[in-house]
Amino acid sequence: MAKIIERNREDRKYSITGGGACSRNLSENFKKRCLKNAERSFAQTTQCQEINSIQALLSMEDAAFVVHSPNGCVGCVSFMNDNFKVGQYHRNIRNIRNARYIVTSLDEKDIVFGGEEKLKRAVLDLNSRYSPNIIFIFTSCASGIIGDDVDAVARNLQEKIKPIIVPIHCEGFKSKVPATGFDTAFNSIIKYVFKDEKPEKEKGLINVFATTSIGYKDQIEIEKLLAVLGLHVNYIPFYSSVEKLRKIVKAEYSVAICQVFADEFMEYLKNEYDIPYSKTGMPIGIKSTDEWFLSVAKLVGKEDIALKYIEQQHEKVLPEISRIRKVTEDKRVFICAGTGRGVAAATLIDDFGMKLVGIQTPTYEEAIIENFDQLQKIHGGDFIIDIANMQPFEQVNLVNKLKPDFFLGMSNWVSKLGIPSTHILEAKRPTFGYTGLIYLGRKIENSIENPSFNVKLAKHKKLPYKESWYEENAFKYLKEGI
Ligand code: SF4
């Protein structure tokens, strides 16, 4: 069976994971192929691909998970589990349960003597506790470094127990781009879940690739939009199951919630199963929603229906947008989010008359350069792009210098600078489509009108950096060619 390309995201064509400058400079150098990737000689707080692999699959209904790692590697899973439980509540499930996962808690002894026995016990334990249809094993830096043969453990256990056992090789050290974890998960689905057959297509079925980070309200919005085009949805791997994963190959079309989530998997499905797909930015904000919806409409040949629907929706939302703009107009904004969500957020702020002054993005690459060009047309070329997977020290330095009126995205650090902020990754409330943009607009309006939380936080809580750091060049530790 063919595979999707097995490579890390940073190994894609002309993909930059470290760098920083104004958008105009970056774009010009990128197009001349003069932009070189820079490494950090000092780095802080990054996200790793293991977390994305787990996040992609955690909401599967009939799955259980072993994380073959020390305890610290599952630190973020409690936050994903929280979203998973809220998601169940929103879906009217009243016996709400936790995600079914075990961490093997690799310790010093296992690092010396190996952790395969622990892994075996964890898989058998999960099976007897929950009788799942599928067990995913996530690897980690520790299991990768000591060389535990996770595939062999899975193969041997597969002869003894019924659930499909799927190793996911998502060792954090393998990639600097967390989104590689999505490709790793999809590769394993192809290898262990797909059957080598080409079934008949189900009329009107569309695969929508999404992670647990979209909420129920967003699910409803997406279904509403796609129903206008006569389509029904198979969500992958979001709240799916083995049955739904196997249904992927029956779909007539595919689309992803974000252009960097499942692009290579959708290309694989096109080549192997003749499933055409559409790839655009996230449907956040009026422009990005129009584009997302129209690109699916083009795919199914129903552009005229989509255009009429878009016109009706604009009529509904424009009066409220105008009202919100009285508060938001001309406010200067800094954004920090994943690549796809960040770019979409930068179009959303334009709906509300706000200006982009800076954005932190994990990658700057061929697949997304058109989106950044579009942002330049909207916001001009002077906004700063920090190509960084997190890196709070760079973020607070830039925010302190640029002094935006508002911060959109992951504001854990800058909220201590007293800047009004709100986040854009909302698994609990709407963010997508014409419903989501009004909700986000009102949230931004509220935060600007009442910034007292951040103001008080700044008064009582200081960031750990010396005053001298704020005077330094934010990109001081970026070095080309080290
Ligand atoms: S897998 Fe590696 S990078 Fe990821 S959390 Fe564990 S130790 Fe950190």
Side-chain angles (χ1 to χ4, degrees):
M1 187 179 279
K3 285 190 168 193
I4 61 173
I5 304 162
E6 287 202 80
R7 59 181 177 185
N8 291 337
R9 294 260 171 154
E10 55 266 52
D11 300 329
R12 286 179 176 203
K13 190 177 163 199
Y14 213 55
S15 175
I16 305 290
T17 55
C22 79
S23 172
R24 189 180 300 105
N25 285 356
L26 278 183
S27 170
E28 280 170 13
N29 287 334
F30 186 91
K31 285 174 190 155
K32 285 191 270 177
R33 296 296 188 242
C34 296
L35 185 64
K36 292 204 178 101
N37 199 44
E39 299 286 341
R40 285 180 175 80
S41 56
F42 170 72
Q44 277 186 309
T45 319
T46 57
Q47 188 184 339
C48 92
Q49 64 152 333
E50 186 204 56
I51 296 306
N52 277 22
S53 291
I54 298 175
Q55 189 184 28
L57 299 163
L58 196 82
S59 62
M60 274 186 64
E61 289 158 7
D62 52 357
F65 312 90
V66 179
V67 188
H68 191 36
S69 72
N71 277 344
C73 297
V74 291
C76 287
V77 181
S78 55
F79 137 78
M80 293 173 208
N81 189 41
D82 178 47
N83 278 343
F84 172 55
K85 290 202 292 190
V86 173
Q88 291 172 68
Y89 180 77
H90 286 169
R91 285 166 182 79
N92 268 329
I93 297 167
R94 288 298 169 250
N95 285 328
I96 292 167
R97 66 168 176 88
N98 286 307
R100 294 162 177 152
Y101 69 96
I102 288 180
V103 56
T104 51
S105 299
L106 290 176
D107 59 20
E108 292 89 340
K109 212 167 127 207
D110 303 316
I111 298 305
V112 177
F113 296 107
E116 290 178 11
E117 269 311 310
K118 262 190 170 176
L119 177 60
K120 263 187 236 167
R121 280 207 308 277
V123 173
L124 293 172
D125 200 6
L126 266 184
N127 185 42
S128 63
R129 275 197 223 174
Y130 305 118
S131 307
N133 287 333
I134 190 162
I135 294 175
F136 292 98
I137 302 171
F138 300 99
T139 60
S140 65
C141 291
S143 66
I145 290 167
I146 62 176
D148 273 359
D149 193 346
V150 174
D151 288 349
V153 172
R155 226 176 10 252
N156 292 337
L157 286 172
Q158 192 65 87
E159 288 165 15
K160 298 187 183 102
I161 60 174
K162 210 168 128 217
I164 310 165
I165 305 176
V166 182
I168 311 259
H169 288 280
C170 53
E171 295 88 348
F173 61 71
K174 282 207 306 211
S175 173
K176 285 195 195 115
V177 185
T180 301
F182 298 140
D183 301 335
T184 313
F186 286 129
N187 257 330
S188 294
I189 288 172
I190 292 169
K191 187 168 171 191
Y192 292 92
V193 182
F194 280 7
K195 292 181 171 164
D196 213 356
E197 56 188 37
K198 305 218 166 160
E200 257 185 53
K201 299 277 180 232
E202 182 175 317
K203 192 143 182 47
L205 183 67
I206 183 165
N207 295 315
V208 174
F209 293 100
T211 69
T212 325
S213 67
I214 80 163
Y216 184 54
K217 296 277 181 195
D218 284 338
Q219 177 183 337
I220 292 173
E221 183 74 5
I222 293 295
E223 280 168 9
K224 195 169 82 181
L225 286 172
L226 294 175
V228 172
L229 305 172
L231 299 168
H232 59 285
V233 180
N234 185 26
Y235 284 104
I236 301 297
F238 171 77
Y239 287 91
S240 70
S241 58
V242 172
E243 195 193 331
K244 288 177 190 166
L245 291 184
R246 292 206 166 127
K247 218 170 146 185
I248 293 174
V249 295
K250 289 187 180 177
E252 283 195 303
Y253 313 99
S254 291
V255 64
I257 284 306
C258 154
Q259 67 272 56
V260 294
F261 177 52
D263 49 354
E264 296 210 344
F265 188 47
M266 291 197 295
E267 180 67 20
Y268 165 85
L269 292 173
K270 185 177 135 216
N271 296 335
E272 292 296 312
Y273 294 94
D274 201 18
I275 303 173
Y277 68 92
S278 123
K279 193 180 83 169
T280 54
M282 239 179 219
I284 289 180
I286 206 160
K287 288 182 203 64
S288 300
T289 300
D290 292 353
E291 270 172 28
W292 188 89
F293 186 45
L294 265 177
S295 78
V296 182
K298 270 186 204 154
L299 191 68
V300 303
K302 293 188 177 174
E303 249 178 302
D304 47 340
I305 295 176
L307 285 167
K308 210 167 149 203
Y309 185 78
I310 286 172
E311 204 184 313
Q312 288 165 357
Q313 295 305 307
H314 284 200
E315 271 173 33
K316 274 192 204 163
V317 295
L318 286 175
E320 182 63 358
I321 290 178
S322 307
R323 189 195 66 73
I324 294 169
R325 278 180 85 124
K326 288 187 189 120
V327 173
T328 55
E329 193 82 50
D330 293 331
K331 296 279 186 280
R332 300 163 68 254
V333 183
F334 194 103
I335 291 174
C336 168
T339 309
R341 200 175 284 266
V343 169
T347 68
L348 170 91
I349 60 168
D350 180 51
D351 296 338
F352 296 102
M354 305 166 98
K355 279 277 157 227
L356 184 67
V357 293
I359 182 166
Q360 245 187 337
T361 177
T363 55
Y364 189 80
E365 56 182 300
E366 197 72 32
I368 202 106
I369 191 70
E370 268 182 35
N371 301 80
F372 275 106
D373 282 351
Q374 198 189 0
L375 293 188
Q376 268 191 209
K377 281 191 197 130
I378 297 172
H379 295 290
D382 290 335
F383 63 87
I384 302 293
I385 301 178
D386 182 13
I387 309 166
N389 175 0
M390 308 282 179
Q391 307 311 324
F393 70 106
E394 283 176 14
Q395 184 188 105
V396 295
N397 178 307
L398 286 170
V399 168
N400 199 50
K401 285 199 181 95
L402 294 167
K403 307 226 175 312
D405 303 301
F406 191 74
F407 184 97
L408 190 55
M410 296 177 50
S411 60
N412 319 30
W413 306 295
V414 295
S415 45
K416 291 169 194 157
L417 294 175
I419 292 162
S421 63
T422 192
H423 52 97
I424 183 115
L425 203 170
E426 269 268 25
K428 296 175 186 171
R429 296 176 188 87
T431 58
F432 289 170
Y434 304 102
T435 309
L437 79 95
I438 293 297
Y439 181 82
L440 285 170
R442 287 179 184 153
K443 252 186 14 156
I444 295 171
E445 178 194 18
N446 286 346
S447 310
I448 292 173
E449 283 190 327
N450 182 4
S452 57
F453 174 73
N454 289 10
V455 170
K456 281 183 188 153
L457 199 62
K459 210 166 143 195
H460 298 288
K461 203 90 193 130
K462 290 279 164 257
L463 284 160
Y465 309 106
K466 287 184 180 164
E467 281 307 311
S468 55
W469 169 240
Y470 296 103
E471 307 302 319
E472 293 276 7
N473 175 2
F475 304 125
K476 176 181 173 176
Y477 294 102
L478 280 167
K479 310 271 181 237
E480 281 182 9
I482 58 169

Coordinates of all heavy atoms in Angstrom, one line a residue, residues 409-450:
G409 N -4.9 35.5 20.5 CA -4.2 34.2 20.5 C -3.7 33.7 21.8 O -4.4 34.0 22.9
M410 N -2.6 33.0 21.9 CA -2.1 32.5 23.1 C -1.5 33.6 24.0 O -0.3 34.0 23.8 CB -1.1 31.4 22.9 CG -1.8 30.3 22.1 SD -0.7 28.9 21.7 CE 0.1 28.6 23.2
S411 N -2.2 34.1 24.9 CA -1.8 35.3 25.6 C -1.3 35.0 27.0 O -1.2 35.9 27.8 CB -3.0 36.3 25.7 OG -4.1 35.6 26.4
N412 N -0.9 33.7 27.3 CA -0.5 33.4 28.7 C 0.6 34.4 29.2 O 0.6 34.7 30.4 CB 0.2 32.0 28.7 CG -0.6 31.0 27.9 OD1 -1.2 31.3 26.9 ND2 -0.5 29.8 28.3
W413 N 1.5 34.8 28.3 CA 2.6 35.6 28.7 C 2.3 37.1 28.6 O 2.6 37.8 29.6 CB 3.9 35.2 27.9 CG 4.1 33.7 28.0 CD1 4.5 33.0 29.1 CD2 4.0 32.8 26.9 NE1 4.6 31.7 28.8 CE2 4.3 31.5 27.5 CE3 3.6 32.8 25.6 CZ2 4.3 30.3 26.7 CZ3 3.6 31.7 24.8 CH2 3.9 30.4 25.4
V414 N 1.8 37.5 27.5 CA 1.6 38.9 27.3 C 0.5 39.5 28.2 O 0.5 40.7 28.4 CB 1.4 39.3 25.8 CG1 2.5 39.0 24.9 CG2 0.1 38.8 25.3
S415 N -0.4 38.7 28.7 CA -1.4 39.2 29.6 C -0.7 39.9 30.8 O -1.3 40.8 31.4 CB -2.4 38.2 30.0 OG -1.8 37.0 30.4
K416 N 0.5 39.4 31.1 CA 1.2 40.0 32.3 C 1.8 41.3 31.9 O 2.4 42.0 32.7 CB 2.2 39.0 32.8 CG 1.6 37.8 33.5 CD 2.5 36.7 33.8 CE 1.7 35.5 34.2 NZ 2.5 34.3 34.0
L417 N 1.7 41.7 30.6 CA 2.1 43.1 30.2 C 1.0 44.1 30.3 O 1.1 45.2 29.9 CB 2.7 43.1 28.8 CG 4.0 42.3 28.6 CD1 4.4 42.2 27.1 CD2 5.2 42.9 29.4
G418 N -0.2 43.5 30.6 CA -1.4 44.4 30.8 C -2.1 44.7 29.5 O -3.0 45.6 29.5
I419 N -1.8 44.0 28.4 CA -2.5 44.3 27.1 C -3.8 43.5 27.0 O -3.8 42.3 27.3 CB -1.5 43.9 26.0 CG1 -0.3 44.8 26.0 CG2 -2.2 44.0 24.6 CD1 0.9 44.4 25.2
P420 N -4.9 44.1 26.6 CA -6.1 43.4 26.4 C -5.9 42.3 25.5 O -5.3 42.4 24.4 CB -7.1 44.5 25.9 CG -6.4 45.8 26.0 CD -5.0 45.5 26.2
S421 N -6.5 41.1 25.8 CA -6.3 40.0 24.9 C -7.5 39.0 25.0 O -8.3 39.1 25.9 CB -5.0 39.2 25.3 OG -5.2 38.7 26.7
T422 N -7.6 38.2 24.0 CA -8.5 37.0 24.1 C -7.9 36.0 23.2 O -7.0 36.2 22.3 CB -9.9 37.4 23.6 OG1 -10.8 36.3 24.0 CG2 -10.1 37.7 22.2
H423 N -8.3 34.7 23.4 CA -7.7 33.7 22.6 C -8.7 33.3 21.4 O -9.8 33.7 21.4 CB -7.4 32.4 23.4 CG -8.5 31.9 24.3 ND1 -9.3 30.9 23.9 CD2 -8.9 32.3 25.5 CE1 -10.1 30.6 24.8 NE2 -9.9 31.5 25.8
I424 N -8.1 32.6 20.4 CA -8.8 32.3 19.2 C -9.0 30.8 19.0 O -9.8 30.4 18.2 CB -8.1 33.0 18.0 CG1 -8.8 32.8 16.7 CG2 -6.7 32.5 17.8 CD1 -9.3 34.1 16.1
L425 N -8.4 30.0 19.9 CA -8.5 28.6 19.8 C -9.6 28.2 20.9 O -9.3 28.0 22.0 CB -7.2 27.9 20.1 CG -7.1 26.5 19.5 CD1 -5.6 26.0 19.7 CD2 -8.0 25.5 20.1
E426 N -10.8 28.2 20.4 CA -12.0 28.0 21.4 C -12.7 26.7 21.1 O -13.5 26.7 20.2 CB -12.9 29.2 21.1 CG -12.7 30.4 22.0 CD -13.5 30.3 23.3 OE1 -13.8 29.3 23.7 OE2 -13.7 31.4 23.9
A427 N -12.3 25.7 21.8 CA -13.0 24.4 21.5 C -14.4 24.4 22.2 O -15.2 23.5 22.0 CB -12.2 23.2 22.0
K428 N -14.7 25.4 23.0 CA -15.9 25.4 23.8 C -17.0 26.3 23.2 O -18.1 26.2 23.6 CB -15.6 25.7 25.2 CG -14.7 24.7 25.9 CD -14.3 25.0 27.3 CE -13.3 24.0 27.8 NZ -12.7 24.4 29.1
R429 N -16.5 27.2 22.4 CA -17.5 28.2 21.9 C -17.3 28.4 20.4 O -16.2 28.0 19.8 CB -17.3 29.6 22.6 CG -17.6 29.4 24.1 CD -17.4 30.7 24.9 NE -17.6 30.4 26.3 CZ -16.6 29.9 27.1 NH1 -15.4 29.7 26.6 NH2 -16.8 29.6 28.3
P430 N -18.2 29.0 19.6 CA -18.1 29.1 18.2 C -16.9 30.1 17.8 O -16.7 31.1 18.4 CB -19.4 29.7 17.7 CG -20.0 30.3 18.9 CD -19.5 29.6 20.1
T431 N -16.2 29.6 16.7 CA -15.2 30.5 16.1 C -15.3 30.5 14.6 O -14.9 31.4 13.9 CB -13.7 30.0 16.5 OG1 -13.6 28.7 16.0 CG2 -13.4 30.1 17.9
F432 N -16.0 29.5 14.0 CA -16.0 29.3 12.6 C -17.2 29.9 12.0 O -18.3 30.0 12.6 CB -16.0 27.8 12.2 CG -14.7 27.1 12.5 CD1 -14.6 25.7 12.4 CD2 -13.6 27.8 12.8 CE1 -13.5 25.0 12.6 CE2 -12.4 27.1 13.0 CZ -12.3 25.7 12.9
G433 N -17.1 30.2 10.7 CA -18.2 30.6 9.9 C -18.8 31.9 10.3 O -18.2 32.7 11.0
Y434 N -20.0 32.2 9.8 CA -20.7 33.5 10.0 C -21.1 33.6 11.5 O -21.2 34.7 12.0 CB -21.8 33.6 9.0 CG -21.3 33.5 7.6 CD1 -21.5 32.3 6.9 CD2 -20.5 34.5 7.0 CE1 -21.0 32.1 5.6 CE2 -20.0 34.3 5.7 CZ -20.2 33.1 5.0 OH -19.7 33.0 3.8
T435 N -21.4 32.5 12.1 CA -21.8 32.5 13.5 C -20.6 32.9 14.4 O -20.6 33.7 15.3 CB -22.4 31.2 14.0 OG1 -23.4 30.8 13.1 CG2 -22.9 31.2 15.4
G436 N -19.5 32.1 14.1 CA -18.3 32.3 14.9 C -17.7 33.7 14.8 O -17.2 34.2 15.8
L437 N -17.7 34.3 13.6 CA -17.1 35.6 13.5 C -17.8 36.7 14.4 O -17.1 37.6 14.9 CB -17.0 36.0 12.0 CG -18.1 36.6 11.3 CD1 -18.1 38.1 11.3 CD2 -18.1 36.2 9.9
I438 N -19.1 36.6 14.5 CA -19.8 37.5 15.4 C -19.4 37.3 16.8 O -19.2 38.2 17.6 CB -21.3 37.4 15.2 CG1 -21.7 37.9 13.8 CG2 -22.1 38.2 16.2 CD1 -21.4 39.3 13.5
Y439 N -19.3 36.0 17.2 CA -19.0 35.6 18.6 C -17.6 36.2 18.9 O -17.4 36.8 19.9 CB -19.0 34.1 18.8 CG -18.7 33.7 20.2 CD1 -19.6 33.8 21.2 CD2 -17.4 33.4 20.5 CE1 -19.3 33.5 22.5 CE2 -17.1 33.1 21.8 CZ -18.0 33.1 22.8 OH -17.7 32.8 24.1
L440 N -16.6 35.9 18.0 CA -15.3 36.4 18.2 C -15.2 37.9 18.2 O -14.5 38.5 19.1 CB -14.3 35.9 17.1 CG -14.0 34.4 17.2 CD1 -13.3 33.9 15.9 CD2 -13.1 34.1 18.4
G441 N -16.0 38.6 17.3 CA -16.0 40.0 17.3 C -16.5 40.6 18.7 O -15.9 41.5 19.2
R442 N -17.5 40.0 19.2 CA -18.0 40.4 20.5 C -17.0 40.2 21.6 O -16.9 41.0 22.6 CB -19.4 39.7 20.8 CG -20.5 40.2 20.0 CD -21.8 39.5 20.3 NE -22.9 40.0 19.4 CZ -23.9 39.2 19.1 NH1 -24.0 38.0 19.6 NH2 -24.8 39.7 18.3
K443 N -16.3 39.1 21.5 CA -15.3 38.8 22.5 C -14.2 39.8 22.5 O -13.7 40.3 23.5 CB -14.7 37.4 22.3 CG -15.1 36.4 23.3 CD -14.4 35.0 23.2 CE -13.2 34.9 22.4 NZ -12.4 33.7 22.9
I444 N -13.8 40.2 21.3 CA -12.7 41.2 21.1 C -13.2 42.6 21.7 O -12.5 43.3 22.4 CB -12.3 41.3 19.6 CG1 -11.6 40.0 19.2 CG2 -11.3 42.5 19.4 CD1 -11.4 39.9 17.7
E445 N -14.4 42.9 21.3 CA -15.1 44.1 21.8 C -15.1 44.2 23.3 O -14.7 45.2 23.9 CB -16.5 44.2 21.2 CG -17.3 45.4 21.6 CD -18.8 45.2 21.4 OE1 -19.2 44.1 21.1 OE2 -19.5 46.3 21.4
N446 N -15.5 43.1 23.9 CA -15.6 43.0 25.4 C -14.2 43.2 26.0 O -14.1 43.9 27.0 CB -16.1 41.7 25.9 CG -17.6 41.6 25.7 OD1 -18.3 42.6 25.4 ND2 -18.2 40.4 25.7
S447 N -13.2 42.5 25.5 CA -11.9 42.6 26.1 C -11.3 44.0 25.9 O -10.6 44.4 26.8 CB -10.9 41.6 25.4 OG -11.5 40.4 25.3
I448 N -11.6 44.7 24.8 CA -11.1 46.1 24.7 C -11.8 47.0 25.7 O -11.2 47.9 26.3 CB -11.2 46.6 23.2 CG1 -10.3 45.8 22.3 CG2 -10.9 48.1 23.1 CD1 -10.5 46.0 20.8
E449 N -13.1 46.8 25.8 CA -13.9 47.7 26.6 C -13.6 47.5 28.1 O -13.6 48.4 28.9 CB -15.4 47.5 26.4 CG -15.8 48.2 25.1 CD -17.3 48.2 24.9 OE1 -18.0 47.3 25.4 OE2 -17.8 49.2 24.4
N450 N -13.2 46.2 28.4 CA -12.9 45.9 29.8 C -11.6 45.1 30.0 O -11.7 43.9 30.1 CB -14.1 45.2 30.5 CG -13.9 44.9 31.9 OD1 -12.9 45.4 32.5 ND2 -14.8 44.2 32.6

